[in-house]
Amino acid sequence: MAIKNAYILDLLARTEKRNANEPEFIQAVTEVLSTLEPVIEQRPDLVEAGVLERIVEPERQIIFRVPWTDDNGKPQVNRGYRVQFNSAIGPYKGGVRFHPSVNLSIIKFLGFEQTFKNSLTTLPMGGGKGGSDFDPRGKSDGEIMRFCQSFMTELCRHIGADLDVPAGDIGVGAREVGYMFGQYKRIRNEWVGVLTGKGIPYGGSLARKQATGYGLCYFTNEMLKANGMSFEGKTVLVSGSGNVAIYACEKATEYGAKVVAMSDSNGYIYDKNGIDLDLVKQIKEVERKRIKEYVNVHTDAEYHEGCAGIWTIPCDIALPCATQNEINGESASILVKNGCKVVSEGANMPSTPEAIDTYLANGVLYGPAKAANAGGVATSGLEMSQNSIRMSWSFEEVDEKLHGIMKSIFKACDDASKTYGMPGNYMAGANIAGFIKVAEAMKAQGNV
Ligand code: NDP
Ligand code: 2IT
């Protein structure tokens, strides 16, 4: 979207200058600021309070050395990050990503997005994100444990149940959260809900594992309903085959859709009969192998090398659930040409700006990440509540709360898009609704 407001253009230029060489962070900031023009015009008080200048600057950025020893006894070193972005409405909250691509730009874009996403959940959580350029692929269980322990040995002094509560993200699931939780408890000598996504026997919440994928489908279902559509009988593409992708596939199938493709960072599978999700779970969750193993069992399915090819398969609905910028302008155009009507984001920022322009120009229903994938962190919020009251709720109770939250997130996006003159633009609606709550809190708390 072209930005016209002179104040926003100037702020963006200053932000770009201050954060040179951080393309993902600038991309996320540009997207949000480009949709805030109508709010800024109506709310000069927020500009006067310096809310925008402050909201694009993280409150605190921590970068640290993570030394660990591999199975051959050789010293290894990675870089750890925690960016505590915004605590206006609650303790910093957000996942930890272990992937070789991790750098400060990626952690800052994720922390920035998290601030607005967490605001949309209706729960009192600020925004934060962390991670490391450690590559978990091909590492033994012992190496993963030693890495997680070393990472937490440093991180533990910066986090706390009422201060900053990390969770999982790419490369960090229940196994890694378990090792980090154990190390925190040992060093700090206290049992508190300092991480979410924990295992069920030690304070984890039922339905947290399913929450991001299920939540994505709950949100998408609301968006479809509001536009006279449904999942029933639709052909769906789900990229990725990790935590978010697997449970998005499960719920979309439950809603009557047929998921025909999934992927990992090496390639994608196409099964015209519909994905056999039990097999995908076995390959990815149990055996931790590559998605191409799928065609050894289903010999009539196809495997293709490369990630982008998945978007060339004709579909009604695309659910990108792998990583940032996985759909570019070219892939978006192919999706549209093949009749895709809906793109709803499980991953964080999976669509490039050119891809988003293509959706909006072609009337594709677009569910933006910070709203559509907020079910994961919302359920993390429910895990924090359960830990605080020292209770655990049933799967059904948590799932019902999650469903209610996703409905209210869709309504907030829809209402804001209408109030600010952009009906059906849920990206603008999500940014505006998420922003206003944080901005009001920041203004009320003074220039801190
Ligand atoms: P997982 O590690 O469980 O799965 C990630 C999946 O994406 C894997 O299939 C992985 O393939 C693939 N992938 C990762 N990086 C790339 C890449 N550079 N190119 C292509 N494929 C890639 O992570 P999650 O499922 O938890 O996370 C997926 C996305 O959802 C991320 O964007 C994350 O930020 C977002 N998200 C996660 C939430 C959660 O609760 N977990 C909540 C909200 C958003 P491979 O195995 O080959 O690496
Ligand atoms: O991007 C995200 O929202 C997550 N990775 C989940 C964060 C959380 O704290 O559960």
Side-chain angles (χ1 to χ4, degrees):
M1 276 207 282
I3 304 173
K4 293 187 207 78
N5 182 290
Y7 166 72
I8 292 185
L9 281 171
D10 177 58
L11 174 61
L12 199 52
R14 282 183 280 144
T15 309
E16 281 174 10
K17 195 169 166 206
R18 181 178 269 175
N19 303 280
N21 306 317
E22 294 184 2
E24 293 86 0
F25 177 57
I26 295 302
Q27 183 183 337
V29 171
T30 306
E31 185 218 282
V32 170
L33 290 185
S34 72
T35 57
L36 293 182
E37 295 194 83
V39 185
I40 293 316
E41 274 149 26
Q42 287 181 28
R43 295 293 305 271
D45 58 311
L46 296 178
V47 176
E48 226 147 90
V51 163
L52 279 106
E53 277 83 356
R54 288 187 281 139
I55 219 166
V56 298
E57 183 67 18
E59 289 178 20
R60 194 171 296 108
Q61 308 179 48
I62 301 148
I63 303 182
F64 52 95
R65 179 167 68 194
V66 189
W68 57 282
T69 306
D70 69 19
D71 285 346
N72 299 318
K74 197 166 168 257
Q76 300 285 346
V77 179
N78 285 93
R79 185 172 288 178
Y81 301 87
R82 187 72 184 168
V83 172
Q84 298 180 328
F85 221 104
N86 194 298
S87 63
I89 64 169
Y92 309 108
K93 179 80 196 89
V96 168
R97 175 178 291 191
F98 292 163
H99 193 273
S101 65
V102 163
N103 57 35
L104 187 60
S105 172
I106 289 178
I107 299 300
K108 279 172 69 178
F109 112 66
L110 290 163
F112 181 75
E113 288 285 290
Q114 199 80 44
T115 300
F116 304 100
K117 183 195 305 194
N118 293 4
S119 164
L120 287 169
T121 65
T122 71
L123 304 174
M125 298 182 289
K129 201 83 188 191
S132 174
D133 58 1
F134 174 73
D135 186 356
R137 261 218 256 166
K139 301 293 189 297
S140 71
D141 205 57
E143 288 174 325
I144 299 279
M145 183 178 76
R146 291 193 295 279
F147 177 80
C148 289
Q149 289 175 337
S150 180
F151 184 82
M152 183 52 81
T153 299
E154 176 65 29
L155 187 67
C156 76
R157 69 187 89 211
H158 305 292
I159 62 175
D162 292 314
L163 167 61
D164 183 357
V165 182
D169 194 80
I170 292 177
V172 178
R175 175 180 61 166
E176 292 73 19
V177 168
Y179 293 147
M180 288 192 273
F181 181 75
Q183 183 75 349
Y184 180 91
K185 186 165 61 61
R186 186 180 184 202
I187 296 176
R188 300 288 290 262
N189 197 25
E190 59 176 16
W191 203 117
V192 289
V194 67
L195 287 151
T196 60
K198 299 185 291 298
I200 304 303
Y202 57 96
S205 174
L206 289 163
R208 174 62 187 89
K209 182 172 74 172
Q210 292 81 0
T212 313
Y214 279 21
L216 168 64
C217 291
Y218 294 149
F219 177 93
T220 308
N221 193 43
E222 291 304 303
M223 182 168 75
L224 290 168
K225 274 196 300 186
N227 291 277
M229 295 160 76
S230 81
F231 267 113
E232 187 66 43
K234 299 293 190 303
T235 299
V236 176
L237 308 177
V238 176
S239 65
S241 48
N243 173 258
V244 179
I246 286 175
Y247 293 95
C249 178
E250 185 163 286
K251 187 55 77 176
T253 308
E254 224 175 280
Y255 271 136
K258 182 155 93 171
V259 178
V260 295
M262 293 183 81
S263 63
D264 62 20
S265 55
N266 292 101
Y268 67 94
I269 51 165
Y270 171 50
D271 188 341
K272 62 180 185 319
N273 301 316
I275 292 288
D276 172 356
L277 192 61
D278 286 338
L279 178 59
V280 173
K281 285 182 183 174
Q282 177 64 28
I283 295 169
K284 300 305 279 193
E285 291 186 335
V286 181
E287 297 169 11
R288 297 181 185 274
K289 287 190 175 154
R290 311 308 300 158
I291 197 71
K292 71 173 174 212
E293 301 281 329
Y294 185 94
V295 297
N296 295 340
V297 177
H298 289 287
T299 48
D300 50 346
E302 299 169 17
Y303 174 74
H304 298 272
E305 286 287 331
C307 306
I310 191 171
W311 310 120
T312 64
I313 302 170
C315 70
D316 303 302
I317 300 173
L319 303 177
C321 296
T323 193
Q324 64 273 358
N325 292 328
E326 55 172 313
I327 305 183
N328 60 16
E330 190 189 338
S331 292
S333 298
I334 298 171
L335 281 167
V336 169
K337 187 170 73 87
N338 286 339
C340 176
K341 299 277 182 302
V342 181
V343 178
S344 201
E345 300 179 330
N348 284 306
M349 205 169 75
S351 305
T352 64
E354 296 74 29
I356 296 172
D357 287 345
T358 305
Y359 309 149
L360 298 181
N362 288 280
V364 171
L365 285 185
Y366 171 48
K370 64 174 71 64
N373 75 27
V377 72
T379 307
S380 281
L382 300 176
E383 182 171 330
M384 290 165 72
S385 305
Q386 292 169 81
N387 291 163
S388 296
I389 59 171
R390 303 201 188 281
M391 293 271 288
S392 49
W393 300 326
S394 68
F395 186 96
E396 290 70 27
E397 274 175 286
V398 180
D399 190 35
E400 202 186 306
K401 287 185 169 63
L402 166 65
H403 199 162
I405 289 171
M406 298 315 295
K407 282 182 173 174
S408 71
I409 293 175
F410 176 74
K411 188 170 182 310
C413 298
D414 192 33
D415 288 351
S417 76
K418 288 172 180 153
T419 305
Y420 288 91
M422 295 175 270
N425 183 339
Y426 305 119
M427 170 180 73
N431 290 341
I432 292 170
F435 168 76
I436 287 177
K437 180 170 157 190
V438 178
E440 298 283 16
M442 289 175 73
K443 185 185 162 201
Q445 291 168 29
N447 186 21
V448 292

